[in-house]
Amino acid sequence: MAMTDLDADVVIVGSGVGGGSVALSLAGTGARILILERGERLPREPQNWDAEAVFVDQRYRTSDLWYDGEGNAFRPGQFYYVGGHTKFYGTAMFRFRERDFDGVSHEEGDSRPWPIRYRDLEPWYAKAEQLFGVHGHAGDDPTEPPRSTPYPFGPIPHEPVVAEVFERMRMRGLHPAHMPAAIDLHPGGTCVRCGTCDAFPCRIGAKGDAETRLIEPALAHANVRLVTGCRVKRLIADERGSSIVAVECERGSETLRIGARLFVLSAGAINSAAILKASASSAAPEGLANSSGLVGRYFMNHNCTAIMAITPWRTNRTRYPKTLSLNDYYFGGPASRHPLGNLQLLGKIQEPMLRDVLPAAPKWSRRWLADHSVDWYVMSEDLGQPDSRVQPRPDGSIVLGWKRSNMRAHHRWVETAKQLLKDLGFPIVLSKPFGTDTPSHQCGTVRFGEDPATSALDPYCRAWDHDNLYVVDASFFPSSAALNPALTVAAQALRVGEHLKARLHEF
Ligand SMILES: Cc1cc2nc3c(=O)[nH]c(=O)nc-3n(C[C@H](O)[C@H](O)[C@H](O)COP(=O)(O)OP(=O)(O)OC[C@H]3O[C@@H](n4cnc5c(N)ncnc54)[C@H](O)[C@@H]3O)c2cc1C
């Protein structure tokens, strides 16, 4: 194994929301912070905004193969770049609702309470919104939690087609709300409404992603370093197994061992669990941080369905559609006693995105559908199941045995949303569920809690089993709620970062 000059005080694995937020918290402290990122910088190039390149050629998706629970190979919607999945995210930056933290009763079971409450995270949500430059408007959404600060920027105005839907929803007594969005779209901002965004990288850096909002500002400090193209394979514990002493990683053809005093694992909910399990040794045969046996279990990913609501007599020319969200059915309501979930606008669907869904249809018909549709994302909560699992294979690939849950509520929500859209004046409504190959909202695989028997991490995301190991990405979620996860990952990671600052002298 090669020797390196990379040893640091704190090693952070992954440069996404979790890793980036911790790095920024520790920037300027004097401790030597080293971020190890498997990917490279995502190039800014014309293909960034080209649906053919992004969806048909899958230019940015990993070429790794994973396996589902039945052993079928698939190429997952995983993107390994500096900034992690936020390079491709849809910029929706929601706070979870207060009741999400308490545990919510669903049709097919209860979601698990969190070891912290909304009030514990509220100041960190406010800080995360500032860092990501979130636009929004408080007061429209009946489920929204209390806030100590206004949104950093006002709401992004709806474009005409969306404004009309917004008004029609209001006239039906609903409470559509402006979607909180991290995008530089205001007078003087850099966004040019390119017409892509959700699932595309931003060619001009106008998206509030983890690279631009966290990693770049962190690297402006002399104590933070980033090494790209460096894939961490496993963590190495000391002889007693109580502390982590090094990470083993591959960079090019070299295998490196990098030591540190403190380790922050932020490789995303699937890869972090896989790394911990791949770090098994005779002292820890089930992997590190895993005396509870929970690592890799309770994988969650939201139940999501895309809907195209079509009006044949009007072309939808909306460039930035992600301005409207509806939470009237989030905790139930007339359509159901039980929670249904969130409805929000999806990025604008383009013809190339429909090719694998409608391969036999002529191109003109796919283009017609895309030109005339308003596109929606229907999301409901996935309740963690013990046998919903992430398991690394000896060859380094991953088995993602996702066991969906709460699907009766999801189906009911999709049917309710489709009927609502018909009632709002869209005569044709088509839907398509997202599958295991799209683990965009992955979470829950190394959950935090108050009891080492029923959680792998303490309420500050420190491994119960190892005093100097923190797992700070969407792994820590004990429940998935039914809202986009990135702001919650950032808020908790900033909270952990502050806690780590106070602990640095101990190591
Ligand atoms: C297409 C898409 C749209 C989305 N839209 C939204 C949205 O609108 N709103 C929202 O809230 N969320 C959205 N999400 C989800 C959001 O991006 C994630 O919840 C968030 O990025 C999770 O942060 P994380 O820190 O857990 O992981 P990530 O952001 O995935 O970061 C993990 C990092 O670790 C690196 N890594 C992985 N393995 C290794 C290894 N072995 N060694 C070193 N580095 C490694 C990865 O390359 C990556 O940089 C979307 C996701 C996708 C894919």
Side-chain angles (χ1 to χ4, degrees):
M1 198 170 307
M3 301 296 289
T4 76
D5 62 349
L6 291 174
D7 286 2
D9 296 317
V10 183
V11 158
I12 299 175
V13 181
S15 65
V17 179
S21 300
V22 173
L24 187 56
S25 303
L26 301 182
T29 55
R32 294 169 304 152
I33 314 299
L34 179 68
I35 308 166
L36 302 175
E37 168 55 51
R38 167 181 173 165
E40 299 291 346
R41 298 269 190 181
L42 198 148
R44 290 193 184 169
E45 55 187 10
Q47 291 92 335
N48 292 164
W49 290 349
D50 180 352
E52 191 92 25
V54 174
F55 281 86
V56 181
D57 303 342
Q58 303 200 327
R59 182 176 179 81
Y60 303 108
R61 190 182 273 229
T62 180
S63 54
D64 286 359
L65 285 184
W66 287 1
Y67 298 86
D68 68 15
E70 279 70 55
N72 304 306
F74 65 98
R75 196 173 154 197
Q78 285 285 127
F79 304 92
Y80 298 123
Y81 294 96
V82 174
H85 274 183
T86 58
K87 293 306 291 179
F88 294 83
Y89 84 149
T91 73
M93 284 299 235
F94 281 96
R95 297 178 177 209
F96 283 1
R97 314 289 98 164
E98 268 181 299
R99 279 167 61 188
D100 287 325
F101 291 83
D102 303 336
V104 176
S105 180
H106 287 268
E107 188 169 347
E108 292 179 47
D110 296 341
S111 68
R112 202 179 163 77
W114 288 40
I116 57 174
R117 290 293 168 264
Y118 173 76
R119 62 177 171 276
D120 300 312
L121 222 44
E122 199 286 332
W124 304 105
Y125 271 131
K127 183 160 189 196
E129 285 173 348
Q130 287 292 337
L131 288 171
F132 280 88
V134 178
H135 293 64
H137 183 258
D140 294 342
D141 181 337
T143 66
E144 74 182 58
R147 337 170 32 92
S148 59
T149 53
Y151 281 104
F153 294 99
I156 297 172
H158 304 302
E159 294 182 40
V161 167
V162 179
E164 205 175 305
V165 177
F166 191 86
E167 274 318 309
R168 283 195 216 152
M169 282 181 166
R170 278 231 279 239
M171 281 162 63
R172 294 183 68 83
L174 296 170
H175 302 83
H178 284 87
M179 183 133 67
I183 185 151
D184 202 18
L185 181 48
H186 48 257
T190 51
C191 176
V192 295
R193 289 188 193 256
C194 67
T196 61
C197 211
D198 198 357
F200 293 80
C202 186
R203 191 177 162 190
I204 55 173
K207 190 188 271 197
D209 62 40
E211 183 189 23
T212 56
R213 298 296 178 144
L214 304 173
I215 296 294
E216 284 305 327
L219 291 174
H221 295 261
N223 69 320
V224 182
R225 285 173 76 185
L226 168 69
V227 177
T228 60
C230 184
R231 180 175 178 178
V232 170
K233 306 292 276 190
R234 63 187 189 112
L235 309 180
I236 300 165
D238 64 5
E239 270 176 14
R240 288 187 301 131
S242 56
S243 295
I244 308 301
V245 292
V247 294
E248 188 181 301
C249 39
E250 276 176 4
R251 191 165 184 233
S253 56
E254 280 188 321
T255 299
L256 308 175
R257 183 186 161 119
I258 299 172
R261 297 184 293 141
L262 195 59
F263 295 83
V264 177
L265 183 57
S266 304
I270 297 173
N271 280 298
S272 283
I275 291 168
L276 290 171
K277 296 212 79 168
S279 305
S281 63
S282 51
E286 295 304 318
L288 293 176
N290 199 19
S291 59
S292 63
L294 290 168
V295 170
R297 294 184 180 271
Y298 294 95
F299 169 79
M300 296 172 279
N301 182 37
H302 286 154
N303 298 314
C304 294
T305 294
I307 291 184
M308 295 177 82
I310 293 158
T311 34
W313 44 86
R314 186 168 60 190
T315 305
N316 180 7
R317 299 194 192 286
T318 307
R319 306 292 293 170
Y320 184 77
K322 292 192 69 84
T323 56
L324 187 161
S325 145
L326 186 77
N327 274 330
D328 288 58
Y329 303 84
Y330 193 82
F331 290 116
S336 165
R337 277 191 308 120
H338 294 285
L340 292 184
N342 167 267
L343 177 68
Q344 61 184 253
L345 282 163
L346 197 57
K348 184 71 207 84
I349 287 181
Q350 301 181 37
E351 184 278 324
M353 302 177 192
L354 297 174
R355 290 212 199 141
D356 69 334
V357 190
L358 298 168
K363 187 172 181 175
W364 66 262
S365 65
R366 287 191 301 259
R367 186 174 294 147
W368 185 89
L369 286 173
D371 284 350
H372 291 85
S373 67
V374 178
D375 312 304
W376 301 86
Y377 195 43
V378 185
M379 193 188 317
S380 27
E381 181 153 358
D382 181 17
L383 306 171
Q385 309 286 315
D387 55 350
S388 183
R389 295 188 68 178
V390 171
Q391 187 70 35
R393 295 181 8 143
D395 65 0
S397 65
I398 286 175
V399 178
L400 181 57
W402 179 23
K403 292 272 176 357
R404 285 168 179 260
S405 65
N406 207 22
M407 285 305 282
R408 278 203 300 275
H410 185 60
H411 291 139
R412 185 166 299 129
W413 184 208
V414 171
E415 289 314 311
T416 303
K418 285 169 90 166
Q419 188 56 53
L420 170 66
L421 292 165
K422 284 183 183 160
D423 295 346
L424 290 172
F426 296 94
I428 306 168
V429 180
L430 310 173
S431 63
K432 170 98 171 62
F434 288 88
T436 303
D437 62 335
T438 313
S440 302
H441 292 181
Q442 56 187 266
C443 63
T445 49
V446 195
R447 74 186 187 200
F448 75 164
E450 275 161 347
D451 179 355
T454 56
S455 59
L457 309 174
D458 79 6
Y460 280 101
C461 288
R462 185 182 62 92
W464 290 113
D465 299 344
H466 315 285
D467 189 44
N468 66 342
L469 173 64
Y470 288 76
V471 184
V472 196
D473 53 29
S475 313
F476 73 79
F477 286 24
S479 69
S480 63
L483 287 166
N484 317 57
L487 194 75
T488 302
V489 179
Q492 169 70 354
L494 292 168
R495 177 174 175 267
V496 172
E498 191 67 16
H499 158 87
L500 287 176
K501 249 195 219 171
R503 283 202 77 197
L504 279 177
H505 69 277
E506 290 177 33
F507 295 97

